Amino acid sequence: MHDPPAGRRVPPPLLDSLGRELADLRVSVTDRCNFRCRYCMPRERFGSEHRFLDRSDLLSFEEITRLASIFVSLGVGKIRLTGGEPLLRRGLPKLVSMLASLGTDLALTTNGSLLSRHADALAAAGLRRITVSLDALDEETFQQMSDSAVSVADVLAGITAAERAGLSPLKLNVVVRRGLNEHAIGAMVDRFAGSGHVVRFIEYMDVGTTNGWRLDHVLTAEEILSVVRTRTGLEPIAPDRPGEVASRYRRIDGGGEIGVIASVSRPFCRDCVRARLSSDGRLHTCLFSTGGTALGYALRHGVPDSQIASMIRSAWHLRDDRYSELRSDATRPSAAVPVTLAGSAERAGRPTPAPGAEKVEMSYIGG
Ligand code: SAM
Ligand code: SF4
Ligand code: SF4
């Protein structure tokens, strides 16, 4: 667990309607990306006609820092920058240095394509932890997954630059899609054995509405682990903090740590302590939410910090999201009745719903 630095007052926990604390904040700094991963931003839905947010809609670094500091005053101790691809946001190290001054744990998730250019500046600005997404080591599969002009070598160069900049150990996220990149499991386990980096396999999720998700595309954590076990035995390790989403394992061959994020087969909603801030300043209390609380709008219309804090408090108090658990119930073979997968946003009748009633896309809300 990240300890607050000396001098940072730790407020009493803010609890949602299911007793879950507000502890982590994910901040999306852009809804744009230079990849078109099939499972996140399929090109046919995110092509040239797709309307991304206008530059003027994006929160400025000052606005992000102001909102983040309100979240910190309410108990957030960990901030992760994400997107879209966060390294597409110009001047990101400046934001890192502004957020570093809040004294929380500060991390970044990136597709790695621009990391070799920015790793030094990010580290110098105060970033300590980084997660790089990499779904395959062979070019053909990597292209099938990422649909980009970037090569595996570019991402590996980014990882090397991050290591040199002192941002290691890294976490490496691998989304596994049945029938596409199962073979990447063994390849990633072998490639990063002994590197100190933690390879984490993520079950393919039904985020957003565009990726054509099907349950039979999901390779479950158990199936993933059985592939890893063909390389090495595994011992479970305790979570490093409450709200940790990955199940952690130590390789008994001394090769380091492996993680699995079993959002579909073993949902962890009851421990979910994470809020998300979209790049235009909407607070989302679940990755699968359909609405959001327009904190950015409030901030731009002169609402004082104390009232914005109240907006966050009420959104969090009302929070009853547990989409993945409900999905699990609904997709169990014995499920007799279809389950409604709506979250607290609609039920609470929030005053500022996002346009449309569909689940928001992960690239918008921040993965
Ligand atoms: N662009 C950055 C990246 O890819 O690392 C940050 C944003 S991305 C939305 C954050 C994480 O979400 C990535 O590790 C990505 O693999 C994961 N992700 C995106 N869509 C997913 C899906 N449908 N199922 C599981 N994980 C997904
Ligand atoms: Fe871009 Fe990350 Fe989504 Fe892939 S997962 S399309 S890299 S935002
Ligand atoms: Fe948290 Fe929503 Fe995911 Fe459940 S489905 S773990 S509540 S983000």
Side-chain angles (χ1 to χ4, degrees), residues 80 108-110 129-133 170-173 200:
R80 177 173 293 274
L108 170 89
T109 303
T110 172
R129 299 197 304 110
I130 200 157
T131 299
V132 178
S133 305
L170 303 158
K171 285 181 181 154
L172 297 160
N173 278 358
R200 308 187 320 163

Side-chain angles (χ1 to χ4, degrees), residues 39 82-85 109-111 133 173 175 203 205 207 211 362:
Y39 51 74
T82 177
E85 173 46 42
T109 303
T110 172
N111 63 28
S133 305
N173 278 358
V175 174
E203 288 180 353
M205 286 187 285
V207 287
N211 66 8
M362 198 164 181

